[in-house]
Amino acid sequence: MKILCIGDIVGTPGCEMVYTQLKYIVNDYGIDFVIANGENAATGNGITAEKAEKLVDSGIDVITLGNHAFAKAEAGELMSNGFPMIRPINFPTKTLGSGFILKECQGKKIAVINALGRVYMNPIDSPFEAVSKCVDDIKDKADIIVVDFHAEATSEKAAMAWYLDGRVSVVFGTHTHVQTADERLLPNGTAFITDIGMTGPYNSILGVDKDIAVTRFLTLMNKRYELAKGNSVLNGIILDVEGVNVKSIKRLSLC
Ligand SMILES: [Fe+2]
Ligand SMILES: [Fe+2]
């Protein structure tokens, strides 16, 4: 079984890339199951119901989120209605939605867990404790466990992967919008990559109009961010899973 994980989809350019290209990628690479981080699908922050539904209609099986999960309030309603979208599991217990989901593919149960980091990010409960408890709760029900760890610090992401090595199928990072080249299998079988990158405007700074971002650095004035225009890049990983074991993790970067 091949699982495609797509990095943070940014704005309409990133969504359009998925709407128009995902079917060809699925066909070309023989993909069976698709997970995508959609926390920036609405104009950079959050996700609208319309875009979430269109992304799922385009072939995404599970949408994960992150620190911008509730930037658009309708995301909470959508998750409460059973839509295949999850928010970080270490949010407060009264937060709408769930931090994990179980789906079936080719007779295998795939669990997807989303968690949010704490280093250089807003205060939140320990992602390590929340994910570990979730893994303990669902391990008898799931054949494959996928963790999208939405975090800033490379060290925190590596720590999560080593902490979970042998207990989950993969830990991949999102949030920085920059794909790292450190994909590997850890000694006890868990696949890991620090960040899978973003899906959005190629000539940009993390998806944002480069001139605006440069001006902010030059002047320290809060010029309003706008998304960049032009062609998009799609970044992600493909996991090759045999039975319940990950055989390989490969980076994907398509313009
Ligand atoms: Fe993001
Ligand atoms: Fe983020």
Side-chain angles (χ1 to χ4, degrees):
M1 180 196 302
K2 285 198 176 153
I3 301 174
L4 168 66
C5 308
I6 299 174
D8 303 32
I9 299 168
V10 181
T12 299
C15 289
E16 286 292 336
M17 181 82 172
V18 174
Y19 301 157
T20 60
Q21 301 304 310
L22 183 56
K23 55 182 179 287
Y24 300 113
I25 297 168
V26 163
N27 188 52
D28 290 354
Y29 292 87
I31 303 296
D32 304 295
F33 195 81
V34 183
I35 300 161
N37 188 293
E39 73 139 15
N40 306 115
T43 329
N45 279 346
I47 188 165
T48 60
E50 188 194 348
K51 279 185 166 162
E53 278 158 6
K54 223 167 153 192
L55 288 169
V56 166
D57 286 346
S58 304
I60 291 171
D61 295 286
V62 174
I63 297 175
T64 55
L65 297 171
N67 52 313
H68 296 304
F70 296 99
K72 296 280 178 282
E74 58 203 87
E77 266 169 56
L78 199 59
M79 285 187 279
S80 303
N81 292 331
F83 189 78
M85 182 161 81
I86 56 175
R87 47 79 175 162
I89 195 159
N90 47 333
F91 271 14
T93 50
K94 287 187 176 159
T95 307
L96 292 179
S98 170
F100 77 97
I101 192 167
L102 266 173
K103 299 270 283 181
E104 197 163 325
C105 177
Q106 297 185 347
K108 294 269 183 301
K109 291 259 171 47
I110 302 175
V112 184
I113 305 172
N114 191 196
L116 192 55
R118 295 196 290 189
V119 179
Y120 307 128
M121 301 187 90
N122 289 333
I124 195 161
D125 286 350
S126 167
F128 297 91
E129 290 181 8
V131 173
S132 183
K133 184 179 179 308
C134 181
V135 170
D136 283 344
D137 291 346
I138 61 174
K139 64 176 186 246
D140 295 336
K141 294 180 215 146
D143 301 299
I144 295 159
I145 302 179
V146 176
V147 179
D148 170 1
F149 189 26
H150 196 82
E152 179 76 31
T154 50
S155 56
E156 193 176 19
K157 293 194 243 195
M160 180 65 84
W162 282 99
Y163 177 58
L164 296 174
D165 183 23
R167 296 170 66 200
V168 305
S169 310
V170 60
V171 175
F172 67 84
T174 55
H175 177 70
T176 70
H177 292 200
V178 177
Q179 189 178 72
T180 57
D182 60 339
E183 75 279 11
R184 61 175 289 190
L185 293 177
L186 298 180
N188 293 320
T190 294
F192 171 56
I193 178 169
T194 300
D195 205 294
I196 62 174
M198 72 150 183
T199 296
Y202 183 58
N203 287 317
S204 74
I205 296 176
L206 313 184
V208 166
D209 181 287
K210 62 183 170 42
D211 295 325
I212 294 175
V214 169
T215 300
R216 284 177 63 120
F217 280 107
L218 290 178
T219 64
L220 303 184
M221 289 165 68
N222 284 337
K223 195 166 190 288
R224 201 164 170 271
Y225 283 128
E226 281 172 36
L227 287 186
K229 296 185 175 67
N231 290 345
S232 282
V233 59
L234 184 146
N235 279 315
I237 47 164
I238 295 174
L239 300 164
D240 195 352
V241 183
E242 232 177 75
V244 296
N245 299 313
V246 179
K247 290 287 162 198
S248 71
I249 169 172
K250 290 200 174 110
R251 275 180 288 133
L252 188 69
S253 190
L254 300 172
C255 278

